[in-house]
Amino acid sequence: MLAAIASATLRGTMGSPVSVEVHVSTGLPGFTIVGLPDAAVREARDRVRAAFLSSGLSWPMRRITCNLAPSGMRKGGAGLDLPIAVGLLVATGEVDAASTQGLAFCGELGLNGSLRHVPGMIALADATAPRGLVVPLCDAREAALVRGGDVHGAANLGDLARVLRGQAPWPEPPPPSRAPSSAHEPDLADVRGQAVGRRALEVAAAGRHHLLMIGPPGSGKTMLAERLAGLLPPLTPDEALTVTRIHSAAGCSLPDGTLFHRPPFRAPHHQASVVSLVGGGSWSLRPGEVSLATSGVLFLDELGEFPVAALEALRQPLEEGVIRVSRAGGTVTFPAAFLLVAAMNPCPCGEGVYEGACTCSAVARARYRRRISAPLLDRFDLVVPLSRPDPDELLSGVPGESSTAVAVRVAAARARAAARPVPERGPDLAPDADALLGSKLRSGALSARGLHKVSQVARTVADLAGEDAVSFAQVAEALSLRAGRAAVVS
Ligand SMILES: [Zn+2]
């Protein structure tokens, strides 16, 4: 007898519909899965059989063939366990085919028959519409974020079989998601002094300028970077869905089980693998840190310690806002549009040129600088030298301005920039500001690309001040916000 059950498989951050066909016939007992299954799907045979036996369901001693259609597309992950099991129940006459009409099934089976979490439930729920969807009870709330009321949860295969036979009602859906609590984000009020670093954060947030902070240990680079996401505006509904979909596909838990509403902050360690940074994996192709930081902040502390391969892999997302990952399982394009903030010591010993206490040899310093390639360095509009804070400021006990106050200025500057028509020939500069840039260009202190960057940053500084024309002082500030390049360009 033949059964066809609707399901879906995850490809990157998107789901693709899959029809699971199960055929049971006389012949030598066996269980074959065809239709480009990955290793996890092939192992479904063992999980499904054990789950049947643990749930008190009889295992057919017949020839079982399972086809995953369309057969040309690779299928990954353990989420097809449940539709295979349900197809088997229908094909053996344990449950009526009519009871599965209009329903799709996604879930992993434990050997004891329990239904387990599968990553990417948001994408799978999208791909199985407009059918009703049956998922593990623990995933019902996540699936309902994009589907609303037609999601059913089941705790285990035995319970599900009783529901499909009409012997029990669907289990109570989990309570609706709580309103998102105001998650705690670190506040700029905790940062004493650090006028240059605070200003750099504000300009970075207002103009979406990538920021590199260069300073010795103890100069507050990490503390500042952790406060950048808190200055960004809340996510738009589209951004919220994209960010949540990426986190769901990566198997991350969602904040309070609801959509993300604040920009994410990701801070991968420099010893993290390149795959965890850019995404990938052998078959199922999970999104990496650059994608998890989409619409938020990617913080790379100790930038000079990251492997060169990892830093070079950042160039595509920084240029295109996406990352393409190719593995045996195919090529997948992940979103990867983030605000990059990085921090590094000025030299291996950390003391650098600013403190005058550096003990590094000229060779060691040159080698350290070469780790950051010129094309990567060019991606940073802001390269800011930081020094250790003044002890008097630390001891004064006067709190800094709060993130909320700065975020108000950032939002106003962004609104101002969004309302302005795109200028044909760069920003509107006051004559003396134009002359200042011209003299930097002629003296060789600025390249043509650098000139463009400085005028963009100066435009953001003017937007923060609420001014239409860019003044001499604003260009001078933009120049000072890239003064750190002197420390890393030999
Ligand atoms: Zn040094």
Side-chain angles (χ1 to χ4, degrees):
M1 209 185 143
L2 182 70
I5 302 295
S7 186
T9 188
L10 189 64
R11 281 182 57 78
T13 59
M14 306 301 276
S16 298
V18 171
S19 176
V20 177
E21 299 164 354
V22 179
H23 185 251
V24 176
S25 63
T26 54
L28 209 57
F31 191 173
T32 318
I33 298 178
V34 297
L36 291 186
D38 77 349
V41 180
R42 279 197 298 272
E43 288 167 359
R45 290 179 303 188
D46 300 321
R47 286 190 299 271
V48 169
R49 185 167 187 277
F52 259 64
L53 299 176
S54 317
S55 308
L57 298 161
S58 58
W59 183 255
M61 292 308 289
R62 286 189 278 168
R63 179 158 192 81
I64 303 163
T65 308
C66 177
N67 179 43
L68 310 174
S71 56
M73 178 183 72
R74 294 182 184 276
K75 290 97 189 162
L80 294 171
D81 289 5
L82 179 59
I84 291 172
V86 172
L88 208 48
L89 287 173
V90 172
T92 55
E94 289 280 326
V95 308
D96 193 356
S99 67
T100 63
Q101 284 303 308
L103 289 177
F105 297 79
C106 291
E108 178 178 341
L109 283 172
L111 299 185
N112 60 359
S114 61
L115 286 177
R116 290 183 175 163
H117 165 73
V118 288
M121 196 42 83
I122 300 243
L124 297 172
D126 251 357
T128 48
R131 294 163 188 274
L133 181 62
V134 181
V135 299
L137 206 49
C138 58
D139 285 337
R141 210 160 72 155
E142 187 175 326
L145 287 177
V146 288
R147 290 290 293 269
D150 67 347
V151 172
H152 300 293
N156 59 63
L157 187 61
D159 285 358
L160 178 61
R162 276 185 288 282
V163 173
L164 293 177
R165 287 176 188 142
Q167 297 164 346
W170 285 107
E172 277 296 303
S177 307
R178 287 177 285 143
S181 60
S182 47
H184 178 71
E185 287 182 301
D187 198 289
L188 265 180
D190 310 333
V191 178
R192 304 279 159 84
Q194 297 289 15
V196 176
R198 298 176 66 101
R199 180 63 173 168
L201 288 187
E202 183 171 337
V203 174
R208 301 180 179 85
H209 300 293
H210 302 307
L211 165 65
L212 172 59
M213 294 181 282
I214 302 176
S219 55
K221 304 185 293 282
T222 306
M223 197 172 176
L224 287 163
E226 287 168 349
R227 284 155 178 78
L228 180 52
L231 306 183
L232 302 178
L235 299 177
T236 65
D238 276 356
E239 288 172 335
L241 194 55
T242 301
V243 169
T244 308
R245 177 190 285 276
I246 296 168
H247 281 74
S248 163
C252 301
S253 60
L254 307 182
D256 298 327
T258 74
L259 296 178
F260 278 73
H261 68 292
R262 288 294 309 158
F265 176 81
R266 304 293 303 188
H269 192 263
H270 59 76
Q271 285 173 345
S273 70
V274 176
V275 165
S276 75
L277 194 65
V278 303
S282 56
W283 276 78
S284 51
L285 297 179
R286 297 285 177 84
E289 293 289 340
V290 297
S291 299
L292 292 166
T294 291
S295 298
V297 172
L298 181 70
F299 174 42
L300 302 182
D301 202 358
E302 313 271 7
L303 186 68
E305 304 296 326
F306 278 81
V308 172
L311 296 181
E312 290 304 302
L314 289 175
R315 285 169 61 181
Q316 183 183 46
L318 287 172
E319 280 164 27
E320 302 176 32
V322 298
I323 188 152
R324 278 181 287 281
V325 180
S326 296
R327 294 289 184 278
T331 299
V332 168
T333 303
F334 291 109
F338 48 83
L339 182 56
L340 176 61
V341 55
M344 64 186 287
N345 294 335
C347 64
C349 82
E351 294 306 319
V353 286
Y354 309 113
E355 310 283 318
C358 175
T359 55
C360 306
S361 69
V363 173
R365 290 172 70 137
R367 194 187 305 127
Y368 191 75
R369 287 170 182 175
R370 276 199 301 272
R371 296 188 67 99
I372 314 296
S373 70
L376 177 62
L377 188 62
D378 273 347
R379 293 284 149 201
F380 293 101
D381 294 359
L382 310 172
V383 185
V384 178
L386 293 180
S387 46
R388 294 195 178 96
D390 183 344
D392 291 341
E393 284 175 329
L394 286 182
L395 295 171
S396 73
V398 180
E401 195 182 15
S402 73
S403 291
T404 311
V406 180
V408 168
R409 286 198 297 274
V410 166
R414 283 191 172 208
R416 198 177 175 82
R420 184 175 48 237
V422 179
E424 285 172 22
R425 296 168 50 254
D428 181 14
L429 296 174
D432 54 350
D434 202 23
L436 174 58
L437 281 180
S439 74
K440 294 286 177 189
L441 189 64
R442 279 188 295 278
S443 72
L446 272 184
S447 63
R449 180 198 277 267
L451 180 101
H452 176 72
K453 298 249 171 195
V454 170
S455 37
Q456 295 298 318
V457 172
R459 178 65 263 173
T460 302
V461 172
D463 281 335
L464 280 166
E467 288 165 14
D468 288 331
V470 180
S471 71
F472 181 91
Q474 285 155 353
V475 168
E477 183 178 1
L479 284 166
S480 77
L481 286 171
R482 57 188 262 125
R485 285 174 67 92
V488 275
V489 178
S490 351

mmCIF file of all heavy atoms in Angstrom, residues 347-352 357-360 365, ligand 1:
data_model
loop_
_atom_site.group_PDB
_atom_site.id
_atom_site.type_symbol
_atom_site.label_atom_id
_atom_site.label_comp_id
_atom_site.label_asym_id
_atom_site.label_seq_id
_atom_site.Cartn_x
_atom_site.Cartn_y
_atom_site.Cartn_z
ATOM 1 N N CYS A 347 50.184 46.666 18.617
ATOM 2 C CA CYS A 347 51.360 45.855 18.316
ATOM 3 C C CYS A 347 51.297 44.607 19.196
ATOM 4 O O CYS A 347 50.439 44.524 20.072
ATOM 5 C CB CYS A 347 52.641 46.642 18.606
ATOM 6 S SG CYS A 347 52.807 47.027 20.349
ATOM 7 N N PRO A 348 52.170 43.627 18.970
ATOM 8 C CA PRO A 348 52.067 42.383 19.749
ATOM 9 C C PRO A 348 52.107 42.598 21.264
ATOM 10 O O PRO A 348 51.386 41.929 22.003
ATOM 11 C CB PRO A 348 53.256 41.557 19.263
ATOM 12 C CG PRO A 348 53.547 42.072 17.897
ATOM 13 C CD PRO A 348 53.199 43.530 17.927
ATOM 14 N N CYS A 349 52.917 43.519 21.771
ATOM 15 C CA CYS A 349 52.990 43.690 23.226
ATOM 16 C C CYS A 349 51.801 44.476 23.740
ATOM 17 O O CYS A 349 51.522 44.495 24.933
ATOM 18 C CB CYS A 349 54.297 44.361 23.650
ATOM 19 S SG CYS A 349 54.285 46.162 23.502
ATOM 20 N N GLY A 350 51.099 45.162 22.840
ATOM 21 C CA GLY A 350 49.877 45.854 23.227
ATOM 22 C C GLY A 350 50.070 47.312 23.575
ATOM 23 O O GLY A 350 49.115 48.077 23.562
ATOM 24 N N GLU A 351 51.304 47.711 23.890
ATOM 25 C CA GLU A 351 51.502 49.085 24.355
ATOM 26 C C GLU A 351 51.476 50.082 23.196
ATOM 27 O O GLU A 351 50.883 51.142 23.292
ATOM 28 C CB GLU A 351 52.797 49.200 25.142
ATOM 29 C CG GLU A 351 52.769 48.414 26.442
ATOM 30 C CD GLU A 351 51.587 48.770 27.331
ATOM 31 O OE1 GLU A 351 51.257 49.960 27.444
ATOM 32 O OE2 GLU A 351 50.981 47.844 27.911
ATOM 33 N N GLY A 352 52.124 49.702 22.076
ATOM 34 C CA GLY A 352 51.978 50.476 20.857
ATOM 35 C C GLY A 352 52.572 51.858 20.897
ATOM 36 O O GLY A 352 53.233 52.261 21.848
ATOM 37 N N ALA A 357 55.610 52.913 25.332
ATOM 38 C CA ALA A 357 56.245 51.899 26.178
ATOM 39 C C ALA A 357 56.435 50.589 25.438
ATOM 40 O O ALA A 357 56.705 49.570 26.048
ATOM 41 C CB ALA A 357 55.390 51.658 27.422
ATOM 42 N N CYS A 358 56.309 50.620 24.130
ATOM 43 C CA CYS A 358 56.336 49.383 23.339
ATOM 44 C C CYS A 358 57.714 48.738 23.409
ATOM 45 O O CYS A 358 58.727 49.410 23.315
ATOM 46 C CB CYS A 358 55.977 49.696 21.899
ATOM 47 S SG CYS A 358 56.112 48.287 20.803
ATOM 48 N N THR A 359 57.710 47.418 23.573
ATOM 49 C CA THR A 359 58.966 46.681 23.631
ATOM 50 C C THR A 359 59.156 45.801 22.403
ATOM 51 O O THR A 359 60.060 44.974 22.371
ATOM 52 C CB THR A 359 58.984 45.778 24.880
ATOM 53 O OG1 THR A 359 57.817 44.952 24.846
ATOM 54 C CG2 THR A 359 58.975 46.588 26.162
ATOM 55 N N CYS A 360 58.262 45.945 21.387
ATOM 56 C CA CYS A 360 58.331 45.056 20.219
ATOM 57 C C CYS A 360 59.443 45.509 19.285
ATOM 58 O O CYS A 360 59.714 46.701 19.162
ATOM 59 C CB CYS A 360 57.028 45.069 19.442
ATOM 60 S SG CYS A 360 55.608 44.687 20.439
ATOM 61 N N ARG A 365 56.536 44.228 14.799
ATOM 62 C CA ARG A 365 55.440 45.176 14.545
ATOM 63 C C ARG A 365 54.999 45.126 13.092
ATOM 64 O O ARG A 365 53.797 45.154 12.806
ATOM 65 C CB ARG A 365 55.896 46.595 14.901
ATOM 66 C CG ARG A 365 56.064 46.766 16.396
ATOM 67 C CD ARG A 365 56.696 48.091 16.716
ATOM 68 N NE ARG A 365 55.789 49.191 16.442
ATOM 69 C CZ ARG A 365 55.635 50.225 17.268
ATOM 70 N NH1 ARG A 365 56.322 50.258 18.398
ATOM 71 N NH2 ARG A 365 54.830 51.184 16.968
HETATM 72 ZN ZN ZN B 1 54.653 46.632 21.222
#
